[in-house]
Structures are given as C-alpha cells and as structure tokens.
Amino acid sequence: MKTTASGFRQAKGGRKLTMLTAYDYTVAHLMDQCGIDALLVGDSLGMVMLGYPDTLAVTVEDMIHHCAAVARGASSPLIVCDMPFMSSQRGVDDTLRNAGRLVKEGRAQAVKLEGGADFAPEIRALVRASIPVMGHLGLTPQSVNALGGYKVQGKSLAAAQKLLDDARAVQDAGAFALVLECVPAALAARVTKELEIPTIGIGAGPDCDGQVLVWQDMLGMFDRVAPKFVRRFGAVGDAMRAAFTGYAAAVRDGSFPAAEHCYSMEDEQQVLEKLY
Ligand code: KIV
C-alpha cells in the first residue's frame, strides 16, 4: 500500500515508522519489497555516493538526479528528498523554486528541510504550495561549520529548550514529521510526547515515533565514519569485498567465464571456417 505524507503523520501513536536513505533505482527497488514506510533521498549522498567530506557541495541537480532514480525504483514508500545546502537558505521564493524542481523533476513526494523557527516562513510557503515538509533538528549536518563539528545537540538546558521551541515552530508551520538527529534520548522522548507529528530519530533513542539510518551505515559499507548510533544489520561490505576478490581471482585463473556463461551458435565449425 502506498504511504503518503498524511498517512505517515497519522501513524503517530500506532506502529513505529521506518525510514531508510536511498539514492538509486536498484536499492530503492529492494527496499520497496521490504515494507519500509519512507525512503529518504538524503544529501548524505554527497558523502556516501559522491565521496565529498560533508554534505555542503551537494546541488539541487544532484538531488533531482538521485531522487528521480529512487522514484522509478519504489512505488510503496513515501519518497522524501532533502533540500541541499543553500537551496532553502536564500528566502521563500528560492526555496519554493528549488522544492518545486525536486517534486517536478525528481518526483519527490515530500521534501526535508534542516532548521527550526527561523525557517517557519519557508515551511509555511511550501505547505501552502502543497509540498509536504519533513523538518530536521538537532545535529543538522548542513550547519557543521557553525556547530563546530558533528556533535550531540541539546545537552544544556538552554539548548534543550531551543530545540523544543524549534520543534513546536516546525510543527506549527505545517511540517508533517520531524527528524531528530543526535540528541539525548530523554530530550527526544520529551519532544516526541509534546508533538502531534511523528518524530523520526537517528541517534535520538528508542522513544521517537520512528527511526532512520543511512543504508550504507547499517550494512557495514561505509567505514569513513562510525557513529555510535549505528547498528549493523548486515555485513554487506565484507560480502562485497569477498565477491570482488573472488571475481578477480576467477578471471585471472580462467575459471570465469565457464561454459554455462557462454553463447553458442549453429554450425559453429562451418561458420568459423568460412570466415576470412
Ligand atoms: O541526509 C541524510 O541522510 C539525513 C539523515 C541522516 C536523516 O538527513
């Protein structure tokens, strides 16, 4: 059954919501068969797909390219596309134009936008334009330079109060869900209790309404960073290394391709003899 933004919102208080990142057709298609509620085309693609040191260089064009591939691969999950750095920071008109492109060209069904009360006008304008918005608070990777690194957020009273106020502002502006990244579990639980919209945690403890992970992290494929909040649900990186090594060895020792991998032709000998 198709998950919509309003269905996602209504699930609060019922079942736990599941979201995973996805960046391409094949993986989206696999996830489509596994009952994942939402696929996030995250700007984390800058790091795990494009090899940048952070998410800051990712463009709207990058997001459209990957989101369209994901949308072609998955029909049941809600497709949420990140607004990359500087696509929502230049005012309402620019934000609307960029989000419109993610929906029209990338076939996104919702956008995710980092930021709190300061971004309420942008969220309101997107919702008015019928573009569902997922908020994102706590560790917002697009602000890595302002935050001074990838650190847990909301640890002091003042920071916790600001996060709660921002969460209320994002909800009041019309967001249908809110990602909480790297915040203390107790604070995430409090925000979750206060809000009517679902919270989706990543490094925010078990009391959020749902969880999200970067798929390369949960399958042990990306070893450049190893956040504490990641659980490995598979050793796919190890399996891939073994397969690539096995392929190279089989080509080199002549065992691949074998007879069963080859095409034959009729009258093979005759044809070959007639070739000049
Ligand atoms: O870009 C991303 O993958 C994200 C998730 C980590 C929430 O924003």
Side-chain angles (χ1 to χ4, degrees):
M1 220 175 72
K2 174 71 191 161
T3 305
T4 60
S6 59
F8 197 85
R9 179 184 176 142
Q10 281 158 20
K12 182 165 176 117
R15 66 198 161 86
K16 288 273 188 184
L17 289 159
T18 55
M19 183 160 81
L20 283 172
T21 63
Y23 315 104
D24 66 73
Y25 171 87
T26 302
V27 170
H29 193 55
L30 285 168
M31 290 175 180
D32 194 22
Q33 298 158 38
C34 302
I36 306 296
D37 294 303
L39 303 189
L40 171 65
V41 187
D43 59 358
S44 50
L45 70 83
M47 298 170 79
V48 295
M49 299 296 288
L50 305 178
Y52 297 136
D54 49 45
T55 62
L56 302 181
V58 176
T59 64
V60 171
E61 279 68 26
D62 290 331
M63 298 309 299
I64 289 171
H65 179 75
H66 287 271
C67 191
V70 168
R72 285 191 290 272
S75 55
S76 298
L78 175 69
I79 312 285
V80 184
C81 187
D82 251 338
M83 299 210 63
F85 184 51
M86 292 315 293
S87 71
S88 59
Q89 286 90 346
R90 289 194 187 97
V92 167
D93 285 355
D94 199 48
T95 304
L96 270 177
R97 196 170 17 253
N98 288 323
R101 289 193 64 200
L102 298 180
V103 172
K104 274 172 175 278
E105 300 169 50
R107 306 300 299 165
Q109 293 145 9
V111 298
K112 179 165 77 57
L113 185 153
E114 294 184 11
D118 289 348
F119 287 85
E122 281 75 12
I123 296 173
R124 224 171 260 121
L126 291 171
V127 173
R128 195 172 51 235
S130 302
I131 300 176
V133 178
M134 179 177 278
H136 185 158
L137 293 173
L139 172 54
T140 44
Q142 291 174 19
S143 304
V144 60
N145 290 324
L147 297 174
Y150 297 101
K151 299 173 183 165
V152 179
Q153 301 296 307
K155 286 176 93 169
S156 67
L157 172 58
Q161 186 62 58
K162 168 133 179 47
L163 194 136
L164 183 56
D165 292 344
D166 276 338
R168 291 184 183 123
V170 166
Q171 170 176 273
D172 292 348
F176 73 93
L178 175 64
V179 167
L180 294 175
E181 179 166 354
C182 282
V183 302
L187 176 60
R190 173 68 192 273
V191 173
T192 301
K193 204 165 153 217
E194 286 257 338
L195 295 191
E196 287 163 19
I197 59 174
T199 58
I200 308 300
I202 175 163
D207 293 318
C208 293
D209 297 302
Q211 298 290 327
V212 57
L213 284 175
V214 170
W215 76 263
Q216 285 89 342
D217 287 343
M218 53 96 76
L219 292 185
M221 292 174 62
F222 188 72
D223 44 21
R224 229 171 61 199
V225 284
K228 171 187 163 117
F229 58 75
V230 171
R231 171 167 155 197
R232 281 201 179 179
F233 287 84
V236 176
D238 290 342
M240 287 175 80
R241 271 186 289 272
F244 297 148
T245 308
Y247 163 77
V251 170
R252 287 183 190 124
D253 70 17
S255 62
F256 175 80
E260 68 264 31
H261 306 120
C262 297
Y263 301 104
S264 60
M265 58 202 279
E266 277 170 31
D267 306 323
E268 201 169 270
Q269 207 48 43
Q270 273 179 316
V271 172
L272 292 179
E273 277 165 13
K274 286 187 182 151
L275 291 177
Y276 57 92

